[in-house]
Amino acid sequence: MSGIAGHARVVIIGGGVVGVSALYHLAKAGWTDCVLLEKNELTAGSTWHAAGNVPTFSSSWSIMNMQRYSAELYRGLAEAVDYPMNYHVTGSIRLGHSKERLREFQRVAGMGRYQGMDLDILSPDEIKSRYPFTETHDLTGALYDPYDGDIDPAQLTQALAKGARDLGAKIYRFCPATGVRRENDEWVISTEKGEIRCEYVVNAAGYYAREVGKMFGRDMPMMVMSHQYMLFDEVPEVAAWSRENGKKLPLMRDVDSSYYLRQEKNGFNLGPYERKCRAHWATMDDPMPADFSFQLFPDDLERLEWYINDAVERVPLLGTAGLTKTINGPIPYTPDGNPLIGPMPGVPNAFEACVFTFGICQGGGAGKVLAEWVMEGETEWDMWSCDPRRFTGFCDQDYAVAKGMEVYGHEYAMHFPHHAWPAGRNKKLSPVHDRVASLGGQFGAYNGWERANWYARPGDDTSEEATQTWAREGEWFEAVRRECLAVRDAAGILDLPGFSRFRVEGAGARDWLLSMTTGLVPKPGRIGLGYFADEKGRIVTEMSIMALGEDFFFLITAATAQWHDFEWLTKHLPAGSEIKIQDVTEAFSCQILTGPKSRDILSTVTDADLSKPWLTHQSAQIAGNWCQLVRVSFAGELGWEIHTKVEDTVAVFDAVMQAGEPHGLKPFGMFALNSLRLEKGYRAWKGDLSTDYTVLQGGLERFVKFEKPDFIGKQALLAERQRGVSKRFVTLVIEAGDCDAPYMSTLWHDGKVVGETTSGGWGHRIGKSIALGMLRADLTEPGTELEVEIFGDRFAATVQPDQPLWDSSNERLRA
Ligand SMILES: Cc1cc2nc3c(=O)[nH]c(=O)nc-3n(C[C@H](O)[C@H](O)[C@H](O)COP(=O)(O)OP(=O)(O)OC[C@H]3O[C@@H](n4cnc5c(N)ncnc54)[C@H](O)[C@@H]3O)c2cc1C
């Protein structure tokens, strides 16, 4: 072998900022026997031409964590690895044009402060004092981020590379990975210079990740956009200001107009995310070149004209500067704009750290997260926002292009809780989709499945704009109230296609499930919730376990959890086991029928025994079709889930709808279901239930059976029980204003932050604003008075008893 190592613990494919950061973090953690392969020179991909902005801003808690970590790392990196570099921490001003935007800023500022960052809201006058050259007459305010700035991306990558090499890791440049194969439980990576065997492999190939993914048989959920920034000549006024103040102007983002404007030397750098944007390498007549190292696309300024004019109106000095250079480079996008960091779906010991849209500001944190995935199989922070398994098989190329363009064109858009983005829709339709639509269903996509979020009446405003609000306002809100009250007073039906469903069968299945979950496994004929913990006792997932026989189960879980949960199960199956696990999601449909009249309705269409108690299930017939009637209700009323074969859905739905008419049966949507479950304190996956919390912190001790034989997480949970939890799940009722508490709103007591919300919303049956959250354990006594910060204002809140707010003794459920 000419010069390259024959064996390594980890091989990273791709030497941009992300791959090199991953190598650095592995080496720093003691995994120095790691190799990085770069097909060209380090930074030859997107990293080379990036603008190098390093914001901490994000409305996602985990992405903010990653970016905050990056900024902290970069501040000390030059010294830590002895590699000087240009990193200007200039602070940034993010301009707001509306009340809604300021609310977004207030929320992010609250999250940022909780992460220890001093983010601040500026008035128009304060903007002017920090950035004298800007027009502020039409602004409502701004977010000030003192940690933002710009870094030289190539120097950053070289610094990380030096750090990694100094620790013993190896980097081979001009050494593309050309193929991979699995041999004797190892990966063999081919290169033109020979083969390397390794335990783990990482795809960090940036916009080439699709090509590298193909080597593993993986179709990557990604596409490539062209993004341009323009460099402008020196402006004497900027030079004078910088000289006088001894610093650069803060980085400015006009997010409502959609661009960043940065001081570059003594001129400007303007980078728009334009609505009329351009995808590359997405069609047959525009194939991706085999090698695009250190190359750019031709300038395309026409697309940017509106943005240039807008920026000149905002900072008139820009109009005095000459344009000197345009950089038009490729940026990869996933369908939601977040990168892929974590296990490569379905492929053993392979990981992804690629498709970064903001890889410079996320690279540091991404290296930490990736290294944890490889070394420990789990991460310190819950990183579902970046987990490759959040995109399942339906994410084909058309979908990736449509969503990537939508995300790029709305890069700085606000993500309102009741707004459904329109691109890439109708990928998976329920057999009764047309019926749901004709009833007024307004849809949202859940793992590609279209489900009604709410039902509009003729004449209701169903425009996108009508849902672009943080407040409880608009016809959707009234509709949700009507739907919840119909469920309370009569009955509701919710068509729920795409519930993930796994068939688990074979000798030993029961004992195995006992070892996988913290609690009991139901007896045949019964259904129960199973909590799956990791070795630290943290909540990996929750599934409904339906026992069909002693060793025969259906596990039912959230639509988006499909690949994640399937992998958790299969990964833990002992070698040589007789247990078979099969994903049968596509074969079944589900209708939720719930409300006090649901028994009367069902009794007219089935001869099943409807007196069977809560948490039982039975096979039955509706309209001559087989179905499984499951006596549970996430809405917290008397009710059944009606599981059918997909092909029978229409007949069963029609029969139930017809039977329900005289009883006042109404369709209800996902928004109503969310409101109803909050009133019952039922947790939602990856909000209330995440690896950020242990099962005991999650208030789920009644699902933990310490007396049973060993199960994953038992030792950690025993130890935690012994020392007591530091924080614990609570339900709060809030004297809120016009908005309910979003995820990660801070809880205050005695002037200190003492916890956070994990979800919030309006409970229509109780007529109150509710939040579920995590609170310092000594404050969880019912009746404790707190405050919840919602979009910058604090509202009184009271800790509730540890029982549902609605039907506290579950009498309606058991009726
Ligand atoms: C104009 C522009 C401005 C930008 N500005 C910013 C910004 O201000 N802030 C920010 O955070 N982000 C910015 N970005 C995005 C940023 O550049 C990327 O997110 C980041 O560089 C991605 O880094 P990476 O390491 O994932 O990928 P890359 O830098 O693309 O690295 C991937 C590497 O993999 C190598 N490779 C590919 N295939 C193989 C193979 N088979 N074998 C070996 N090696 C292989 C490639 O040669 C390449 O070096 C900007 C992008 C553009 C286009």
Side-chain angles (χ1 to χ4, degrees), residues 457-462 475:
R457 293 205 288 214
D460 277 356
D461 185 353
T462 58
E475 274 146 357

Side-chain angles (χ1 to χ4, degrees), residues 526-667:
R526 295 193 64 86
I527 184 166
L529 281 178
Y531 287 91
F532 295 72
D534 64 12
E535 291 294 353
K536 295 185 173 129
R538 304 181 307 172
I539 304 164
V540 172
T541 192
E542 170 210 78
M543 300 191 219
S544 293
I545 305 178
M546 194 197 302
L548 292 153
E550 194 49 32
D551 279 321
F552 178 20
F553 303 89
F554 268 14
L555 304 190
I556 299 175
T557 181
T560 47
Q562 186 182 6
W563 280 14
H564 173 277
D565 284 7
F566 189 70
E567 200 154 290
W568 185 259
L569 293 173
T570 48
K571 187 171 100 176
H572 288 92
L573 206 55
S577 161
E578 287 177 33
I579 304 164
K580 297 270 171 300
I581 306 176
Q582 205 187 343
D583 184 338
V584 292
T585 301
E586 305 279 334
F588 295 92
S589 271
C590 177
Q591 312 290 321
I592 293 183
L593 174 70
T594 185
K597 295 284 171 60
S598 49
R599 179 177 283 124
D600 297 341
I601 295 169
L602 266 189
S603 66
T604 64
V605 290
T606 177
D607 55 4
D609 178 1
L610 299 178
S611 66
K612 284 194 165 201
W614 186 41
L615 301 178
T616 60
H617 60 89
Q618 60 186 305
S619 284
Q621 297 273 317
I622 293 181
N625 298 290
W626 169 88
C627 64
Q628 194 75 11
L629 292 180
V630 185
R631 176 85 197 272
V632 291
S633 170
F634 201 49
E637 299 286 349
L638 171 69
W640 283 263
E641 287 177 3
I642 308 171
H643 297 257
T644 56
K645 291 188 185 145
V646 166
E647 57 272 25
D648 301 334
T649 312
V650 173
V652 171
F653 181 82
D654 284 350
V656 175
M657 286 301 277
Q658 202 183 353
E661 207 184 335
H663 296 282
L665 175 65
K666 293 275 183 290

Side-chain angles (χ1 to χ4, degrees), residues 13-19 37-55 175-178 204-208 212 215 227-229 260 262 273 293 327-332 353-362:
I13 302 173
V17 65
V18 174
L37 303 176
E38 166 51 50
K39 76 192 266 179
N40 192 281
E41 181 55 89
L42 291 183
T43 75
S46 292
T47 299
W48 154 67
H49 51 64
N53 304 332
V54 188
C175 186
T178 53
Y207 56 77
Y208 297 93
V212 172
M215 299 179 193
H227 173 57
Q228 306 178 76
Y229 61 81
Y260 53 85
R262 190 177 95 195
Y273 289 96
S293 301
I327 303 285
N328 185 0
I331 305 195
C354 49
V355 201
F356 279 76
T357 294
F358 294 103
I360 308 306
C361 64
Q362 293 169 357

